[in-house]
Amino acid sequence: MKYFIFYLMIHILVMLVFIIITILFSERNRKRKTKHGFMFFAPVFFAVLTIAYAIVFTLPVLMDIKNVSSGKYQSYSGYVEEIGQTKMCVVIDGTKYKINPMAPMPEIGEYVKIKYAGSSKMIMEMEAAQDTTFELVE
């Protein structure tokens, strides 16, 4: 839960920085202090960057606040295929999930059961599980 809040605050902070940069470049244009022609489009570039960043990173985490605060997670069981180099993501059965890098990491090929926040796909709980597939013996 603490990592979720930290993750949310970092993304909001980055968005605020983009918004401030957009406002600063816009004010330079308004006061006609822009010296290079391509810098005239800097506010548009940073506004588009801010919107894209919000859609990809910030909004999914904001949509999960209700689920995380109430403890209602989605669950899934599968095999770990890959662990990110920075240990901030885990690929389970082809789907990438975010994980606290300080949490115990599973081994590649291990069968795990996870509980994750729906929109942001951030793992809140993870434990080793037994594979329940049965083979028919003739």
Side-chain angles (χ1 to χ4, degrees):
M1 174 88 162
K2 291 178 186 177
Y3 182 72
F4 180 84
I5 293 170
F6 175 75
Y7 189 79
L8 176 63
M9 292 300 144
I10 290 296
H11 286 300
I12 289 174
L13 179 68
V14 170
M15 276 190 49
L16 288 175
V17 168
F18 286 155
I19 290 169
I20 290 169
I21 291 172
T22 303
I23 291 170
L24 290 175
F25 278 117
S26 179
E27 283 298 307
R28 286 184 57 90
N29 284 350
R30 191 180 65 79
K31 293 179 182 177
R32 299 187 185 268
K33 290 186 177 181
T34 305
K35 295 179 182 170
H36 303 288
F38 66 90
M39 292 301 287
F40 181 75
F41 295 105
V44 174
F45 171 75
F46 280 104
V48 169
L49 186 65
T50 303
I51 292 168
Y53 190 85
I55 291 170
V56 173
F57 295 108
T58 310
L59 288 179
V61 181
L62 284 172
M63 292 185 335
D64 281 336
I65 289 175
K66 180 181 176 186
N67 295 335
V68 171
S69 64
S70 66
K72 294 181 182 176
Y73 307 126
Q74 295 180 359
S75 62
Y76 184 77
S77 297
Y79 289 98
V80 177
E81 295 176 356
E82 182 181 342
I83 298 173
Q85 288 182 339
T86 59
K87 296 187 178 183
M88 293 182 70
C89 66
V90 175
V91 177
I92 300 174
D93 291 341
T95 305
K96 186 182 277 189
Y97 297 93
K98 296 173 189 78
I99 189 170
N100 182 351
M102 302 302 239
M105 289 292 151
E107 298 292 324
I108 294 176
E110 185 177 353
Y111 191 76
V112 294
K113 180 179 180 183
I114 60 170
K115 291 185 180 178
Y116 66 96
S119 298
S120 64
K121 294 193 183 215
M122 181 170 291
I123 296 175
M124 299 310 218
E125 298 174 18
M126 180 172 28
E127 59 186 32
Q130 296 283 333
D131 188 3
T132 57
T133 58
F134 298 101
E135 294 182 20
L136 293 175
V137 179
E138 295 181 27

